[in-house]
Amino acid sequence: MSKLTHAWVKASLDQADNERSKITEREKELYGASSIRQRCLINNLCAAGSVNYLEIGVNRGATLISAVMGNDCKAVGVENFKYDDRDPDKWAPEGHIHYNMKSQLEANIEKYDLHPETKIPGAITIVSEDFDKVNYNKHPKFNLCHFDVTPVNQNTYDDFFDSVLPAMAQECVVVFTSQSN
């Protein structure tokens, strides 16, 4: 059982405010919408030991990779690849995904899987699906969740509470980003 206590979360926030964590310059430079402080925060939270981390809204993987760096952590990333802020149209056409986003995520994870010193080989599982359609029973209960979907509305949060919350451990930490548009 991890030690994701109130004190651990506060210490993780304090360390992240000073950009201190186990991530290296390489992770800080990965393309992504998350800030260095946010990556440090997630990495620090995952350092609690034996963390089952869930990230919804993975994009190209910068925060997800940062989460597992140097940590005893198993991570599941959920991404449907349908929305990309960098694409002029934002939304992929009906029945399609943003393949460039998916391939960049896969390439980023592969770079780290090839280097055992990063301690992430096999630590990341990607689920390519809408987050509210995932069968979370296939995974152990999560004790840390980073919910980072764009855009958000009331239905998005309702779907989170209906679909994801039951997959969380009784004592857990949930980090919401993009809380309003």
Side-chain angles (χ1 to χ4, degrees):
M1 187 68 155
S2 70
K3 53 186 176 191
L4 278 168
T5 62
H6 182 270
W8 187 270
V9 172
K10 182 169 179 357
S12 295
L13 284 163
D14 291 343
Q15 291 292 316
D17 276 344
N18 294 304
E19 296 184 3
R20 290 195 296 242
S21 71
K22 295 178 188 173
I23 67 172
T24 68
E25 287 303 312
R26 185 175 175 193
E27 292 77 49
K28 291 176 183 178
E29 293 172 3
L30 281 172
Y31 175 80
S34 59
S35 68
I36 293 171
R37 287 181 176 165
Q38 186 177 4
R39 294 174 198 188
C40 288
L41 171 63
I42 298 297
N43 179 269
N44 292 338
L45 291 170
C46 287
S50 300
V51 170
N52 288 321
Y53 173 64
L54 174 63
E55 182 168 312
I56 300 173
V58 176
N59 198 313
R60 289 162 176 83
T63 309
L64 185 66
I65 290 168
S66 295
V68 299
M69 282 302 299
N71 291 325
D72 177 20
C73 174
K74 292 290 185 186
V76 173
V78 178
E79 178 60 67
N80 64 13
F81 305 104
K82 293 179 182 176
Y83 185 85
D84 185 357
D85 253 341
R86 290 177 60 185
D87 190 281
D89 295 327
K90 307 285 188 228
W91 289 98
E94 186 68 34
H96 294 86
I97 65 170
H98 286 288
Y99 291 99
N100 60 333
M101 193 167 119
K102 184 176 182 183
S103 64
Q104 190 171 0
L105 170 63
E106 291 167 347
N108 284 341
I109 292 171
E110 185 178 333
K111 284 182 213 171
Y112 285 87
D113 275 346
L114 296 175
H115 300 284
E117 69 275 8
T118 62
K119 297 186 180 180
I120 75 159
I124 296 175
T125 301
I126 299 296
V127 179
S128 300
E129 200 168 352
D130 293 346
F131 79 88
D132 57 334
K133 306 285 189 279
V134 173
N135 179 0
Y136 293 101
N137 292 328
K138 293 181 178 181
H139 307 280
K141 292 281 187 182
F142 298 100
N143 47 5
L144 176 60
C145 176
H146 179 213
F147 188 74
D148 190 19
V149 300
T150 305
V152 294
N153 58 40
Q154 184 63 46
N155 290 337
T156 308
Y157 290 115
D158 289 345
D159 289 343
F160 173 83
F161 287 109
D162 291 342
S163 304
V164 180
L165 198 59
M168 301 300 297
Q170 188 171 0
E171 293 184 19
C172 62
V173 174
V174 178
V175 177
F176 288 97
T177 55
S178 300
Q179 62 271 26
S180 65
N181 291 336

